[in-house]
């Protein structure tokens, strides 16, 4: 590729990359993915995300706490997670992923606990003026209501409705388009409607592969022809504008 692109959300520290992590990273770099943002989801991956960001100058870390964990998490565990983020806040480019997941959690008790934990994470992002990376599956509007007042918010792997997408953008925030856009009609509709100035790109590797098997940051290039076709904008400009957006919102 003659242009560079950023993968704004991946999990290169996950075990799926244990056998070929460095090869995977170099493959991405070679094809033009010049920077990657690796997001922690729990105490263990927060540590490994930090380690990755120290080993590679072009990999940045965000530290978070997945909403999948909060229904079961004790107050003490939540306190420890927040303290770890706070202790390392100078070494990270953002906080998250954190948020809500109403797809996997149906009960009011579970959802209320997610909200309770999320509010504490939001407060931390606010206090340190860090961008917040939100996982808001099937609760995007609720998440926006809770975090919309922050300076910088990124809805990672956005899959909500178009109206909420517009509200996010109107509030000055960002949506991140995953490689799902290569095969999901709903994500194609989002990519078509979302203004490029508020768009980031991500793979969410190792998940959501546009090819068979494991996803990896190099495959972000699969999204470019799709988004280019959907928006009628050249691939080069999609790569460049989303790259600039990512650099600006995360202060890379
Ligand atoms: Zn993720």
């Amino acid at each position: 590729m003659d242009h560079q692109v950023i993968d704004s959300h991946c999990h290169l520290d996950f075990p799926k990359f244990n056998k070929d992590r460095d090869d995977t990273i170099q493959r991405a770099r070679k094809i033009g993915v010049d920077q990657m943002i690796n997001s922690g989801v729990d105490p263990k991956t927060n540590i490994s995300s930090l380690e990755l960001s120290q080993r590679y100058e072009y990999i940045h870390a965000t530290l978070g706490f997945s909403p999948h964990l909060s229904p079961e998490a004790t107050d003490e565990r939540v306190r420890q997670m927040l303290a770890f983020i706070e202790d390392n806040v100078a070494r990270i480019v953002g906080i998250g992923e954190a948020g809500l997941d109403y797809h996997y959690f149906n009960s009011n008790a579970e959802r209320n606990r997610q909200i309770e934990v999320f509010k504490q994470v939001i407060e931390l992002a606010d206090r340190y003026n860090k961008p917040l990376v939100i996982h808001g599956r099937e609760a995007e509007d609720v998440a926006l209501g809770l975090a919309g007042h922050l300076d910088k918010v990124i809805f990672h792997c956005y899959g909500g409705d178009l109206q909420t997408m517009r509200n996010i953008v109107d509030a000055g925030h960002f949506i991140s388009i995953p490689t799902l856009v290569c095969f999901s009609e709903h994500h194609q509709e989002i990519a078509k409607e979302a203004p490029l100035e508020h768009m980031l790109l991500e793979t969410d590797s190792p998940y959501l592969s546009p090819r068979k098997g494991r996803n990896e940051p190099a495959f972000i290039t699969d999204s470019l022809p799709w988004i280019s076709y959907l928006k009628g904008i050249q691939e080069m400009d999609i790569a460049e504008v989303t790259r600039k957006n990512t650099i600006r919102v995360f202060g890379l």
Side-chain angles (χ1 to χ4, degrees):
M1 264 200 335
D2 50 1
H3 42 269
Q4 295 188 310
V5 60
I6 296 179
D7 184 353
S8 76
H9 188 98
C10 58
H11 304 283
L12 283 161
D13 56 315
F14 280 20
K16 287 234 189 252
F17 295 106
N18 282 355
K19 286 199 176 125
D20 62 347
R21 184 166 291 107
D22 189 62
D23 286 349
T24 305
I25 293 166
Q26 298 319 325
R27 224 171 8 251
R29 292 272 291 174
K30 210 162 185 180
I31 205 167
V33 184
D34 70 325
Q35 299 186 68
M36 292 149 252
I37 297 178
N38 202 85
S39 288
V41 297
D42 60 19
K44 186 167 169 258
T45 58
N46 281 344
I47 293 173
S48 46
S49 294
L50 266 185
E51 284 171 353
L52 258 188
S53 72
Q54 287 170 310
R55 195 167 318 136
Y56 300 93
E57 59 181 352
Y58 43 83
I59 299 181
H60 314 281
T62 72
L63 303 182
F65 196 71
S66 164
H68 295 178
L69 302 176
S70 27
E72 293 286 310
T74 61
D75 286 346
E76 178 57 16
R77 193 162 157 83
V78 172
R79 199 196 57 74
Q80 285 170 357
M81 173 272 293
L82 294 168
F84 183 81
I85 295 175
E86 214 169 347
D87 287 346
N88 292 285
V89 78
R91 300 148 86 188
I92 61 179
V93 297
I95 292 177
E97 59 188 282
L100 309 170
D101 195 318
Y102 286 6
H103 179 77
Y104 288 113
F105 295 91
N106 303 311
S107 76
N108 281 337
E110 291 166 323
R111 291 177 174 185
N112 287 339
R113 179 61 174 161
Q114 288 184 342
I115 289 175
E116 214 172 83
V117 174
F118 186 37
K119 279 180 173 169
Q120 297 183 59
V121 177
I122 292 169
E123 204 182 277
L124 202 63
D126 199 10
R127 194 178 328 144
Y128 290 98
N129 196 27
K130 287 282 177 188
L132 179 65
V133 178
I134 295 182
H135 172 116
R137 192 162 180 200
E138 290 176 26
E140 292 86 358
D141 52 339
V142 184
L144 179 64
L146 292 167
H149 63 283
L150 294 176
D151 261 7
K152 293 166 240 155
V153 174
I154 301 96
F155 280 78
H156 118 75
C157 195
Y158 185 78
D161 60 40
L162 292 179
Q163 186 53 54
T164 305
M165 180 275 286
R166 288 187 194 105
N167 295 342
I168 291 168
V169 163
D170 286 348
H173 299 314
F174 293 83
I175 64 153
S176 180
I177 303 285
T179 38
L180 266 178
V181 73
C182 303
F183 56 90
S184 151
E185 272 181 40
H186 180 55
H187 288 81
Q188 289 167 0
E189 198 179 11
I190 293 166
K192 188 175 171 204
E193 298 298 325
L196 189 57
E197 293 68 31
H198 291 265
M199 191 185 284
L200 310 183
L201 302 182
E202 69 171 84
T203 59
D204 205 12
S205 303
Y207 306 119
L208 312 177
S209 182
R211 308 183 190 179
K212 283 201 165 61
R214 181 188 76 178
N215 202 359
E216 59 177 71
F219 298 171
I220 200 153
T221 52
D222 290 20
S223 294
L224 293 174
W226 278 102
I227 301 174
S228 169
Y229 165 74
L230 291 162
K231 301 189 85 60
I233 298 173
Q234 288 198 349
E235 278 184 47
M236 195 179 73
D237 295 327
I238 304 284
E240 202 171 292
V241 175
T242 56
R243 183 169 181 279
K244 279 185 183 151
N245 292 342
T246 312
I247 289 172
R248 198 173 70 242
V249 70
F250 286 102
L252 303 185

